[in-house]
Amino acid sequence: MMKTFIYLLLLSTFCRGAEANEVVAIKAGRLLDVDNSKLLQDVVLTVVDGQITNTGNTVPAGARVLDFSDKTVLPGLIDVHVHLSVNAYDGSYESLGISVPAQAISSAANALKTLQAGFTTVRSAGAANYTDVATRDAIGKGEITGPRILAAGNFIGMTGGHCDTNLLAPEFGQRDPGVADGPYALRAKVRENAKYGVDVIKFCASGGVMTKGDDPGTQELTLEEMQAIVDEGHRMHKKVLAHAHGTEAIKTAIRAGVDSIEHASLIDDDGIKLAKKNGTYLVFDVYNDEFIREEGRKAGLLEETLAKEKLVADAQRENFRRAVKAGAKIAFGTDAGIYPHGENAKQFAWMVKYGMTPMQAIQSATIDAATLLGKDKQLGSLAVGKVADFIVVSGDPLANVQALEQVDKVFVAGKLVYSKP
Ligand SMILES: [Zn+2]
């Protein structure tokens, strides 16, 4: 059963190109070589069965030609932090009335919007009750259209923490499915997630902004508990990501061995040093506060959320600048769902505003993101042997990174999945 499933997944992932063995030549006026930080002129990319087989300047005999001589071609974008089941205007208390099936249907719609915005791979940073796993599988089977998804499933965290929704009085007995306390109970949650098909493990190492009754600056879980989660995840060959805003929570999670720190808002110089030393990726969601500030009240967010946002947002942006300057590893993650899906690319301009070059910002969403996901052999750049996930934009995103906010065409494994009307 599992073998059949994996086979189907591989089949749909790698073989949904053009006709079998058809040679397709993509003429790119400009091609972004993110492996070598170069913008190449007049490149011909050859694709066979969804895979890049050559990059050069000649069109192979008999090839079907796709001519983008006046455009820029770059690798499909990757967002390593999205919540497909969440809609920005769902509100806090209103969200309690949204069923799991409704969340799954929203996920399908949001997956399509994300793909059409040029994001051909996303990492779901958690979706209660495995709607992200179901969405991934439906895309794999060709039932719906969306990006490749690496799913985290249930958020893991402690009782009363950011990963345990706290909107109701005690007599309602609300408890999120990934909540546990103590190293072995938390290991059991990792095993349960693995049982139901997640690709990655997400846990909460500190309080958050969007939830009630917790503090972003406070560490949640002990070092021993975090180590148990990381050890169990890694033993099962799954990368582990930690939601962490607070200074100490960030450092404890890095020491516990996580692969990436999400938000990283209040990271200090020691934390940046520690992340560099351990090779830990930092994922700063530096755009979404614009949405919270402009639309948060209308979106039904708690007053508490609006107040907490003020405490962490500006600090996060300044700390992002310091992390860039220090040369820390940074991957592109937006927390889309907090703001509308499909607007993921709006974050590029903010990354540039706070210290990255456009090339660095694009690398964070291509080759660096692929490396964090452990997929850099298949994804993240337009090199021979990789899957032909690419997007086409007008203009030069190195001159104006906002060119990425309007994508002309999106290809997954060599197949056109979106064309701007
Ligand atoms: Zn998140």
Side-chain angles (χ1 to χ4, degrees):
M1 181 63 196
M2 196 57 200
K3 272 187 187 151
T4 316
F5 168 72
I6 291 169
Y7 173 74
L8 283 174
L9 201 70
L10 286 174
L11 198 72
S12 58
T13 308
F14 294 108
C15 300
R16 49 177 188 187
E19 301 291 302
N21 296 322
E22 186 191 18
V23 179
V24 182
I26 292 110
K27 292 174 81 172
R30 295 172 296 272
L31 185 135
L32 209 60
D33 176 2
V34 293
D35 288 323
N36 300 299
S37 307
K38 277 186 188 151
L39 185 68
L40 309 173
Q41 307 288 328
D42 298 319
V43 177
V44 177
L45 209 60
T46 308
V47 174
V48 181
D49 286 341
Q51 203 179 35
I52 300 165
T53 57
N54 191 50
T55 61
N57 42 31
T58 49
V59 174
R64 181 163 64 94
V65 176
L66 299 175
D67 193 354
F68 305 124
S69 296
D70 56 345
K71 308 274 186 192
T72 306
V73 173
L74 64 154
L77 302 170
I78 302 173
D79 188 333
V80 303
H81 193 127
V82 303
H83 298 283
L84 294 171
S85 62
V86 177
N87 289 307
Y89 292 94
D90 282 353
S92 293
Y93 274 94
E94 288 79 359
S95 69
L96 292 172
I98 301 172
S99 67
V100 175
Q103 290 171 38
I105 292 172
S106 283
S107 300
N110 292 330
L112 181 62
K113 284 182 198 165
T114 305
L115 181 68
Q116 293 181 339
F119 288 79
T120 52
T121 300
V122 298
R123 182 176 66 173
S124 160
N129 300 300
Y130 307 108
T131 53
D132 52 356
V133 172
T135 307
R136 176 199 70 194
D137 293 350
I139 292 166
K141 284 188 273 187
E143 292 176 327
I144 57 172
T145 303
R148 297 166 201 287
I149 296 176
L150 280 83
N154 287 339
F155 312 85
I156 295 174
M158 68 173 204
T159 300
H162 176 64
C163 284
D164 186 17
T165 313
N166 183 26
L167 292 169
L168 297 174
E171 57 269 34
F172 289 95
Q174 186 181 27
R175 185 176 172 85
D176 278 11
V179 173
D181 300 285
Y184 269 88
L186 287 159
R187 280 183 192 268
K189 288 298 174 189
V190 175
R191 290 171 187 176
E192 198 174 303
N193 272 358
K195 174 181 174 180
Y196 294 116
V198 305
D199 304 289
V200 296
I201 302 295
K202 153 83 177 277
F203 75 90
C204 287
S206 84
V209 171
M210 307 301 286
T211 39
K212 186 181 169 190
D214 56 336
D215 165 26
T218 299
Q219 181 178 319
E220 297 180 351
L221 301 175
T222 64
L223 172 64
E224 192 190 8
E225 287 175 313
M226 292 187 206
Q227 282 169 329
I229 295 169
V230 173
D231 180 58
E232 198 64 34
H234 284 173
R235 212 165 49 72
M236 295 186 184
H237 313 293
K238 297 184 192 310
K239 303 263 186 181
V240 180
L241 53 146
H243 158 106
H245 290 282
T247 312
E248 287 312 311
I250 291 166
K251 286 190 263 197
T252 309
I254 296 173
R255 288 194 187 102
V258 299
D259 299 284
S260 64
I261 296 289
E262 312 296 304
H263 310 298
S265 309
L266 306 176
I267 194 167
D268 63 6
D269 285 335
D270 283 347
I272 292 171
K273 246 186 239 163
L274 198 61
K276 277 188 74 178
K277 185 171 150 244
N278 291 27
T280 315
Y281 274 87
L282 303 175
V283 179
F284 293 89
D285 48 334
V286 291
Y287 167 72
N288 62 47
D289 291 285
E290 293 309 298
F291 178 84
I292 296 176
R293 282 172 195 179
E294 283 165 29
E295 294 291 298
R297 194 158 273 115
K298 192 172 142 201
L301 300 183
L302 302 167
E303 285 302 320
E304 179 184 330
T305 291
L306 303 178
K308 288 194 279 192
E309 185 275 335
K310 288 196 179 79
L311 293 177
V312 298
D314 293 331
Q316 185 197 40
R317 289 166 172 181
E318 286 311 320
N319 290 333
F320 170 81
R321 190 198 296 280
R322 286 167 46 246
V324 171
K325 210 177 251 178
K329 288 184 179 179
I330 292 171
F332 182 98
T334 61
D335 222 354
I338 301 294
Y339 72 105
H341 293 279
E343 296 184 9
N344 313 56
K346 283 189 174 178
Q347 184 170 289
F348 286 109
W350 291 80
M351 294 170 100
V352 170
K353 183 174 173 186
Y354 284 89
M356 275 187 161
T357 63
M359 178 61 91
Q360 283 176 314
I362 294 168
Q363 285 167 326
S364 81
T366 52
I367 189 59
D368 295 337
T371 305
L372 165 60
L373 302 181
K375 302 284 179 197
D376 50 311
K377 297 273 186 293
Q378 302 95 49
L379 307 172
S381 66
L382 299 175
V384 172
K386 290 198 181 186
V387 179
D389 285 3
F390 62 92
I391 62 173
V392 180
V393 298
S394 300
D396 173 4
L398 295 186
N400 178 8
V401 83
Q402 286 186 289
L404 299 177
E405 293 175 19
Q406 290 293 328
V407 174
D408 285 4
K409 286 184 168 49
V410 180
F411 290 80
V412 171
K415 184 186 168 193
L416 180 68
V417 293
Y418 172 71
S419 188
K420 193 168 78 181

